Structure formats: C-alpha cells, structure tokens
Amino acid sequence: MTAPLPAPTDPDPSFAELLALRPHLTRHAFDGLVMEEVPFARIAETVGTPTWVYSAGTLRRRFGALRRALDDAGLAAATIHFAVKANPNLAVLRVLAAAGAGADVVSEGELRAARAAGIPASAIVFSGVGKTEREIRLALAEDILQLNAESAEEVEAISAIAAGLGRTARVALRVNPDVDARTHAKITTGRSENKFGVAISDAPALYARMAALPGIEPVGVAVHIGSQITAGMAAYRTAYAKVGALVRELRAAGLPVARVDCGGGLGIPYRDEPAPLPEALAGAIRVGLGDLGLPVMLEPGRWIAGPAGVLLASVVREKRGATHRFVVVDAGMNDLVRPAMYEAWHGILPVAPEALVAPLSPAEVVGPVCETGDTFARGRALPAMQPGALVAFLDAGAYGAAMSSTYNARPLAAEVLVDGARFAVVRDRQGYDALLAGQRLPAWLATPEPGP
Ligand code: LLP
C-alpha cells in the first residue's frame, strides 16, 4: 500500500503564481485556461477527458533554451538526445527532431518510436542495463550512433553479437561515479549500490578490454546520476570531475575517447522548488570536461518535456467525507502515477474562467481507482467544483502518459498536440475493444460451465 501524501506545511503557490512561470498557459476572461491559443474547454469538448495535452511551442522553446545554454558555454559541438522514456509520443518526438534533437532510447520500442518519428539512427544512443540480444542486433542493424554498455558482461555480449554479424558496435562505457544526486531514492542512479554503470575504478581495465575485443569500437564514457535533480549542481560537478579524470587516464593509456555522454536529470520546479537552469548544467560540463576538447552529449527528458504537458481531467463529483472534502476526477493513478509513486507534487488549475477567481477551500484531489494511493493532492486550495468542471494537472509532459497503465481496466487516455491556434489528436483514446484485444480464453474454458 502507498501511504497517503503528506499535507504540505507551507502554503502552495497560488494559481497566479503557477501561471506566471508557465508562459504557454494563460487565463482568458471568457475562455478560461488556454494553452498557446487553444482553450482547454475546446479540447475537452472535442476529445473528452482525461486527455494529455502538449504544447509544441514549449517543446521548441525549451529545446532551444538548452541548445543556447550549451552554445553560450562554448559547447557548440554538444548534441542533445531527448530521453524518449519521458515522452515517446511520435508527434512530440517529431517536434523535437525538427528542432535538432537526437534520441536516448532504452528499449526496442523506444528505438522504433524514435525512428518512426524521423530521428536519424546516427543521432540515437541506446542506454539501459538490460539490453537483450534482440535489441543489440536491432541497434547494430540500424547502425545507431552508440550503445552505452553498463557492465563487463554486456560488453562481452555486444562483442560476441557484433563480431558474429561481422559488424562493429560503437560502444561508450557507462560509469557509476558513486555520487548522491539528492533526489528521490527511486530515481537516484549514480550511487555505487544502484544497478547502473560500472564502478569508475573498474573502468580503465574494462575500457582497455573493449578496445581489444572484436566487434567493438570504444567511443567514450557515459554517466547519468539521477533524475529531477534540483539540489544544486554539486553532484553533477563531482561526477563530471571524476569522468574528466577517467578520460585523461584512458588517453594516457593510449586508448581512444571520442566523446562524453553527460546524461540527463536536470530538474524542474513542479511546486516552487528552486531548480537549476540549463546554464548551470552547461557550466558544470564546461568546468568538468571543457578542457578535454571533446564533444559532449546530453540526454535530457523531463527538462524539455515536463512543463510542456498537462493532463486535462473532469470532475466526476465532489464528495463530503467524514473529515475531508474530496474532489473526484476522471483521471486516476493509472494515468498520472507520479504522485502515488514518488510523492510528487503537481500544480492543479481549474479551467473555467470563474473558477480561477472563486473562493478557495482545501480539497483532497483523488481519482476513481480503488487505492488510497490514488490521491493527486492533499489539502489543495480549490474552488467548489461542479460535476463536469475541468481541471489541468500541470507539468505532466514527462513521465505522464509514458508511465500510464490500464489498471482498473481503464483505457489509456487520448493525447493532443497544441501548436499555436491549431490542435490535433496525436493518439486516440484507447477503445474498449482495444483494451480487451489480444486476450483469449483457453479451449477448455471456452464453453461457460454452469455455476455452483
Ligand atoms: N538518461 C538515462 C540513462 C536515464 O536513465 C534517464 C532517466 C534520462 C537520461 C533522462 O532523465 P531526465 O532528464 O528526464 O531526468 N519516472 C521518473 C523519472 C525516471 C527517470 C529515469 N531515467 C519520474 O517520473 O520522476
């Protein structure tokens, strides 16, 4: 069982404060909450709820801001590989591809999604501790930019598969720098007890082994220390300093190093936490790795896509509980699991114009799923909500739809892309036929038996 979210102790940001930091969202006197130039009410009328809504302009703007931060830090050769796990929607990937993004993928499905969205294989990096033989073969057949190997065992496997195919795999070695990124334990990846990468002390010998093995071209070192990193740049600085020292050691041993993959992890302010800017990340890279004269790669997911998306939901009804007022919405933890899984705070804005100025009182915002953990917010100041009233869950563009499930036999929600005054459904709401598709009864159960 998931414990209910703790009630926040200091006051939440107001609706106006939440809007001020999210320029793609505005409040219109007649239309209510608007994304770019499209009122959410219009999307709900045509597509229904719950629906994920993404702002193409925000994706472009944030990608551009990251690009500029790298350029301004003298890292013009850096490449940005969007972490597809954050949002594998093809339209989202297409917008980012058109802006110049490559992809960081961790599965065959993500590799296929990136290619289907038009991201060239030469801009795709494949990470992850559990790449299967089939996935490694596909990566080689597609001739992607590089595989990030996470263990000595995987290095041997890649060598055997590539040599067997008469191919050469470009492989970077992911190291585990044993630093604490001071983020949620479930998304910390750079501690020695985590499953990711190889101990940095083992890296020189393993890298030399990579250079000696058939079917492998060692191309560099990769590091990724965690996600939603907001506690300053210290962990990044330490990690990049360790990687810089490793690269110098490899070079001194005569081993080729072509690039460094700096990972992702840059956090965003969901509530009012002071989150670092991309300039700070670019600066940490510059300080730790700048003097190596190597191109770097970045694998950001959340920083680009998180703020660009909203989960639009309708109020089913308000319920007066014994101790609390519950606002029950038609989205559940099966749609947006982050509050249940990471105690995550997401802003919630009412959509109707009058709701944004109505008197507020604390509410528990809950979904319909039969778990107490299906709670989006506790003690959240919201106006009285009538059935059918719309609400927007903010910053749901990363690890939102991507992590959704059909728990409680609830179909996957639709996805919509907004681009200026236009919007389009970019993923249909799952139908009930599709929900049950693929299931079959075994022959011996095909004829219903009489009940007891
Ligand atoms: N590169 C690697 C190797 C990763 O494992 C990840 C994220 C990223 C890049 C992108 O990290 P980002 O820039 O998005 O922080 N479901 C969790 C987040 C899991 C992150 C997993 N790895 C959440 O909802 O907070």
Side-chain angles (χ1 to χ4, degrees), residues 142-166:
E142 290 273 323
D143 198 22
I144 66 165
L145 174 66
Q146 85 188 30
L147 289 145
N148 287 354
E150 302 236 7
S151 61
E153 296 83 347
E154 188 186 6
V155 163
E156 301 293 330
I158 294 172
S159 166
I161 295 165
L165 293 170

PDB file of all heavy atoms in Angstrom, residues 142-166:
ATOM      1  N   GLU A 142      20.372  -1.166 -37.378  1.00  0.00           N
ATOM      2  CA  GLU A 142      20.001   0.228 -37.656  1.00  0.00           C
ATOM      3  C   GLU A 142      21.233   1.122 -37.731  1.00  0.00           C
ATOM      4  O   GLU A 142      21.128   2.272 -38.126  1.00  0.00           O
ATOM      5  CB  GLU A 142      19.063   0.745 -36.552  1.00  0.00           C
ATOM      6  CG  GLU A 142      17.684   0.119 -36.574  1.00  0.00           C
ATOM      7  CD  GLU A 142      16.739   0.866 -37.513  1.00  0.00           C
ATOM      8  OE1 GLU A 142      16.816   2.102 -37.589  1.00  0.00           O
ATOM      9  OE2 GLU A 142      15.929   0.190 -38.165  1.00  0.00           O
ATOM     10  N   ASP A 143      22.376   0.603 -37.269  1.00  0.00           N
ATOM     11  CA  ASP A 143      23.632   1.366 -37.257  1.00  0.00           C
ATOM     12  C   ASP A 143      23.475   2.669 -36.463  1.00  0.00           C
ATOM     13  O   ASP A 143      23.836   3.757 -36.933  1.00  0.00           O
ATOM     14  CB  ASP A 143      24.093   1.652 -38.693  1.00  0.00           C
ATOM     15  CG  ASP A 143      25.578   2.026 -38.748  1.00  0.00           C
ATOM     16  OD1 ASP A 143      26.312   1.663 -37.799  1.00  0.00           O
ATOM     17  OD2 ASP A 143      25.996   2.691 -39.711  1.00  0.00           O
ATOM     18  N   ILE A 144      22.927   2.552 -35.244  1.00  0.00           N
ATOM     19  CA  ILE A 144      22.747   3.749 -34.405  1.00  0.00           C
ATOM     20  C   ILE A 144      24.098   4.311 -33.969  1.00  0.00           C
ATOM     21  O   ILE A 144      25.123   3.630 -34.060  1.00  0.00           O
ATOM     22  CB  ILE A 144      21.856   3.461 -33.169  1.00  0.00           C
ATOM     23  CG1 ILE A 144      22.546   2.482 -32.203  1.00  0.00           C
ATOM     24  CG2 ILE A 144      20.485   2.953 -33.580  1.00  0.00           C
ATOM     25  CD1 ILE A 144      21.907   2.439 -30.832  1.00  0.00           C
ATOM     26  N   LEU A 145      24.051   5.540 -33.469  1.00  0.00           N
ATOM     27  CA  LEU A 145      25.282   6.246 -33.088  1.00  0.00           C
ATOM     28  C   LEU A 145      26.116   5.463 -32.075  1.00  0.00           C
ATOM     29  O   LEU A 145      27.311   5.273 -32.262  1.00  0.00           O
ATOM     30  CB  LEU A 145      24.920   7.618 -32.488  1.00  0.00           C
ATOM     31  CG  LEU A 145      26.073   8.432 -31.910  1.00  0.00           C
ATOM     32  CD1 LEU A 145      27.033   8.864 -33.011  1.00  0.00           C
ATOM     33  CD2 LEU A 145      25.544   9.644 -31.150  1.00  0.00           C
ATOM     34  N   GLN A 146      25.479   5.019 -30.961  1.00  0.00           N
ATOM     35  CA  GLN A 146      26.267   4.285 -29.954  1.00  0.00           C
ATOM     36  C   GLN A 146      25.383   3.529 -28.981  1.00  0.00           C
ATOM     37  O   GLN A 146      24.215   3.869 -28.760  1.00  0.00           O
ATOM     38  CB  GLN A 146      27.206   5.234 -29.196  1.00  0.00           C
ATOM     39  CG  GLN A 146      26.611   5.959 -28.033  1.00  0.00           C
ATOM     40  CD  GLN A 146      27.532   7.031 -27.455  1.00  0.00           C
ATOM     41  OE1 GLN A 146      28.339   7.638 -28.148  1.00  0.00           O
ATOM     42  NE2 GLN A 146      27.402   7.280 -26.162  1.00  0.00           N
ATOM     43  N   LEU A 147      25.994   2.469 -28.436  1.00  0.00           N
ATOM     44  CA  LEU A 147      25.380   1.731 -27.337  1.00  0.00           C
ATOM     45  C   LEU A 147      26.139   2.116 -26.070  1.00  0.00           C
ATOM     46  O   LEU A 147      27.372   2.135 -26.076  1.00  0.00           O
ATOM     47  CB  LEU A 147      25.535   0.225 -27.568  1.00  0.00           C
ATOM     48  CG  LEU A 147      24.697  -0.374 -28.692  1.00  0.00           C
ATOM     49  CD1 LEU A 147      25.445  -1.486 -29.390  1.00  0.00           C
ATOM     50  CD2 LEU A 147      23.381  -0.891 -28.127  1.00  0.00           C
ATOM     51  N   ASN A 148      25.415   2.425 -25.007  1.00  0.00           N
ATOM     52  CA  ASN A 148      26.079   2.679 -23.725  1.00  0.00           C
ATOM     53  C   ASN A 148      26.067   1.375 -22.932  1.00  0.00           C
ATOM     54  O   ASN A 148      25.016   0.947 -22.458  1.00  0.00           O
ATOM     55  CB  ASN A 148      25.365   3.791 -22.951  1.00  0.00           C
ATOM     56  CG  ASN A 148      25.613   5.157 -23.568  1.00  0.00           C
ATOM     57  OD1 ASN A 148      26.399   5.294 -24.506  1.00  0.00           O
ATOM     58  ND2 ASN A 148      24.944   6.167 -23.047  1.00  0.00           N
ATOM     59  N   ALA A 149      27.233   0.751 -22.798  1.00  0.00           N
ATOM     60  CA  ALA A 149      27.319  -0.529 -22.098  1.00  0.00           C
ATOM     61  C   ALA A 149      27.353  -0.276 -20.599  1.00  0.00           C
ATOM     62  O   ALA A 149      27.981   0.674 -20.132  1.00  0.00           O
ATOM     63  CB  ALA A 149      28.558  -1.284 -22.534  1.00  0.00           C
ATOM     64  N   GLU A 150      26.662  -1.127 -19.855  1.00  0.00           N
ATOM     65  CA  GLU A 150      26.510  -0.900 -18.410  1.00  0.00           C
ATOM     66  C   GLU A 150      27.227  -1.940 -17.560  1.00  0.00           C
ATOM     67  O   GLU A 150      27.126  -1.897 -16.334  1.00  0.00           O
ATOM     68  CB  GLU A 150      25.015  -0.875 -18.057  1.00  0.00           C
ATOM     69  CG  GLU A 150      24.235   0.181 -18.820  1.00  0.00           C
ATOM     70  CD  GLU A 150      23.495   1.141 -17.915  1.00  0.00           C
ATOM     71  OE1 GLU A 150      23.680   1.086 -16.688  1.00  0.00           O
ATOM     72  OE2 GLU A 150      22.731   1.965 -18.447  1.00  0.00           O
ATOM     73  N   SER A 151      27.904  -2.903 -18.181  1.00  0.00           N
ATOM     74  CA  SER A 151      28.591  -3.922 -17.378  1.00  0.00           C
ATOM     75  C   SER A 151      29.615  -4.640 -18.237  1.00  0.00           C
ATOM     76  O   SER A 151      29.538  -4.617 -19.477  1.00  0.00           O
ATOM     77  CB  SER A 151      27.585  -4.956 -16.844  1.00  0.00           C
ATOM     78  OG  SER A 151      26.953  -5.620 -17.924  1.00  0.00           O
ATOM     79  N   ALA A 152      30.571  -5.308 -17.558  1.00  0.00           N
ATOM     80  CA  ALA A 152      31.562  -6.122 -18.260  1.00  0.00           C
ATOM     81  C   ALA A 152      30.853  -7.229 -19.026  1.00  0.00           C
ATOM     82  O   ALA A 152      31.210  -7.555 -20.171  1.00  0.00           O
ATOM     83  CB  ALA A 152      32.545  -6.718 -17.255  1.00  0.00           C
ATOM     84  N   GLU A 153      29.815  -7.791 -18.410  1.00  0.00           N
ATOM     85  CA  GLU A 153      29.084  -8.883 -19.056  1.00  0.00           C
ATOM     86  C   GLU A 153      28.434  -8.412 -20.347  1.00  0.00           C
ATOM     87  O   GLU A 153      28.425  -9.108 -21.365  1.00  0.00           O
ATOM     88  CB  GLU A 153      28.001  -9.420 -18.097  1.00  0.00           C
ATOM     89  CG  GLU A 153      28.524 -10.062 -16.810  1.00  0.00           C
ATOM     90  CD  GLU A 153      28.850  -9.066 -15.688  1.00  0.00           C
ATOM     91  OE1 GLU A 153      28.912  -7.835 -15.946  1.00  0.00           O
ATOM     92  OE2 GLU A 153      29.049  -9.515 -14.548  1.00  0.00           O
ATOM     93  N   GLU A 154      27.885  -7.179 -20.298  1.00  0.00           N
ATOM     94  CA  GLU A 154      27.222  -6.666 -21.501  1.00  0.00           C
ATOM     95  C   GLU A 154      28.245  -6.374 -22.600  1.00  0.00           C
ATOM     96  O   GLU A 154      27.970  -6.593 -23.778  1.00  0.00           O
ATOM     97  CB  GLU A 154      26.420  -5.396 -21.160  1.00  0.00           C
ATOM     98  CG  GLU A 154      25.570  -4.946 -22.339  1.00  0.00           C
ATOM     99  CD  GLU A 154      24.865  -3.614 -22.127  1.00  0.00           C
ATOM    100  OE1 GLU A 154      25.102  -2.942 -21.110  1.00  0.00           O
ATOM    101  OE2 GLU A 154      24.080  -3.254 -23.012  1.00  0.00           O
ATOM    102  N   VAL A 155      29.417  -5.880 -22.218  1.00  0.00           N
ATOM    103  CA  VAL A 155      30.479  -5.626 -23.190  1.00  0.00           C
ATOM    104  C   VAL A 155      30.796  -6.914 -23.949  1.00  0.00           C
ATOM    105  O   VAL A 155      30.896  -6.932 -25.185  1.00  0.00           O
ATOM    106  CB  VAL A 155      31.732  -5.065 -22.486  1.00  0.00           C
ATOM    107  CG1 VAL A 155      32.958  -5.176 -23.381  1.00  0.00           C
ATOM    108  CG2 VAL A 155      31.503  -3.615 -22.059  1.00  0.00           C
ATOM    109  N   GLU A 156      30.946  -8.018 -23.200  1.00  0.00           N
ATOM    110  CA  GLU A 156      31.255  -9.306 -23.841  1.00  0.00           C
ATOM    111  C   GLU A 156      30.126  -9.711 -24.791  1.00  0.00           C
ATOM    112  O   GLU A 156      30.372 -10.181 -25.899  1.00  0.00           O
ATOM    113  CB  GLU A 156      31.461 -10.411 -22.784  1.00  0.00           C
ATOM    114  CG  GLU A 156      32.575 -10.134 -21.778  1.00  0.00           C
ATOM    115  CD  GLU A 156      33.988 -10.116 -22.382  1.00  0.00           C
ATOM    116  OE1 GLU A 156      34.233 -10.835 -23.376  1.00  0.00           O
ATOM    117  OE2 GLU A 156      34.850  -9.368 -21.856  1.00  0.00           O
ATOM    118  N   ALA A 157      28.880  -9.495 -24.344  1.00  0.00           N
ATOM    119  CA  ALA A 157      27.736  -9.891 -25.175  1.00  0.00           C
ATOM    120  C   ALA A 157      27.695  -9.069 -26.460  1.00  0.00           C
ATOM    121  O   ALA A 157      27.489  -9.618 -27.556  1.00  0.00           O
ATOM    122  CB  ALA A 157      26.431  -9.723 -24.390  1.00  0.00           C
ATOM    123  N   ILE A 158      27.912  -7.762 -26.334  1.00  0.00           N
ATOM    124  CA  ILE A 158      27.871  -6.908 -27.535  1.00  0.00           C
ATOM    125  C   ILE A 158      28.977  -7.339 -28.506  1.00  0.00           C
ATOM    126  O   ILE A 158      28.748  -7.446 -29.717  1.00  0.00           O
ATOM    127  CB  ILE A 158      28.034  -5.414 -27.156  1.00  0.00           C
ATOM    128  CG1 ILE A 158      26.837  -4.930 -26.343  1.00  0.00           C
ATOM    129  CG2 ILE A 158      28.188  -4.552 -28.423  1.00  0.00           C
ATOM    130  CD1 ILE A 158      26.996  -3.519 -25.757  1.00  0.00           C
ATOM    131  N   SER A 159      30.156  -7.625 -27.965  1.00  0.00           N
ATOM    132  CA  SER A 159      31.271  -8.054 -28.806  1.00  0.00           C
ATOM    133  C   SER A 159      30.903  -9.328 -29.568  1.00  0.00           C
ATOM    134  O   SER A 159      31.102  -9.423 -30.788  1.00  0.00           O
ATOM    135  CB  SER A 159      32.518  -8.287 -27.948  1.00  0.00           C
ATOM    136  OG  SER A 159      33.496  -8.987 -28.683  1.00  0.00           O
ATOM    137  N   ALA A 160      30.370 -10.310 -28.846  1.00  0.00           N
ATOM    138  CA  ALA A 160      30.054 -11.586 -29.487  1.00  0.00           C
ATOM    139  C   ALA A 160      28.998 -11.402 -30.577  1.00  0.00           C
ATOM    140  O   ALA A 160      29.118 -11.946 -31.681  1.00  0.00           O
ATOM    141  CB  ALA A 160      29.565 -12.580 -28.430  1.00  0.00           C
ATOM    142  N   ILE A 161      27.969 -10.601 -30.272  1.00  0.00           N
ATOM    143  CA  ILE A 161      26.880 -10.418 -31.247  1.00  0.00           C
ATOM    144  C   ILE A 161      27.396  -9.657 -32.468  1.00  0.00           C
ATOM    145  O   ILE A 161      27.156 -10.054 -33.618  1.00  0.00           O
ATOM    146  CB  ILE A 161      25.687  -9.684 -30.589  1.00  0.00           C
ATOM    147  CG1 ILE A 161      25.077 -10.549 -29.491  1.00  0.00           C
ATOM    148  CG2 ILE A 161      24.639  -9.307 -31.633  1.00  0.00           C
ATOM    149  CD1 ILE A 161      24.154  -9.804 -28.543  1.00  0.00           C
ATOM    150  N   ALA A 162      28.121  -8.571 -32.235  1.00  0.00           N
ATOM    151  CA  ALA A 162      28.605  -7.746 -33.350  1.00  0.00           C
ATOM    152  C   ALA A 162      29.594  -8.542 -34.201  1.00  0.00           C
ATOM    153  O   ALA A 162      29.496  -8.551 -35.433  1.00  0.00           O
ATOM    154  CB  ALA A 162      29.255  -6.469 -32.819  1.00  0.00           C
ATOM    155  N   ALA A 163      30.534  -9.234 -33.543  1.00  0.00           N
ATOM    156  CA  ALA A 163      31.529  -9.998 -34.303  1.00  0.00           C
ATOM    157  C   ALA A 163      30.837 -11.087 -35.122  1.00  0.00           C
ATOM    158  O   ALA A 163      31.187 -11.318 -36.291  1.00  0.00           O
ATOM    159  CB  ALA A 163      32.564 -10.598 -33.352  1.00  0.00           C
ATOM    160  N   GLY A 164      29.832 -11.708 -34.534  1.00  0.00           N
ATOM    161  CA  GLY A 164      29.075 -12.746 -35.246  1.00  0.00           C
ATOM    162  C   GLY A 164      28.397 -12.202 -36.490  1.00  0.00           C
ATOM    163  O   GLY A 164      28.216 -12.912 -37.483  1.00  0.00           O
ATOM    164  N   LEU A 165      28.005 -10.940 -36.433  1.00  0.00           N
ATOM    165  CA  LEU A 165      27.323 -10.313 -37.576  1.00  0.00           C
ATOM    166  C   LEU A 165      28.329  -9.660 -38.524  1.00  0.00           C
ATOM    167  O   LEU A 165      27.935  -9.091 -39.542  1.00  0.00           O
ATOM    168  CB  LEU A 165      26.344  -9.238 -37.092  1.00  0.00           C
ATOM    169  CG  LEU A 165      25.122  -9.706 -36.301  1.00  0.00           C
ATOM    170  CD1 LEU A 165      24.393  -8.510 -35.688  1.00  0.00           C
ATOM    171  CD2 LEU A 165      24.173 -10.496 -37.203  1.00  0.00           C
ATOM    172  N   GLY A 166      29.601  -9.712 -38.153  1.00  0.00           N
ATOM    173  CA  GLY A 166      30.621  -9.053 -38.979  1.00  0.00           C
ATOM    174  C   GLY A 166      30.512  -7.534 -38.921  1.00  0.00           C
ATOM    175  O   GLY A 166      30.832  -6.832 -39.883  1.00  0.00           O
TER     176      GLY A 166
END
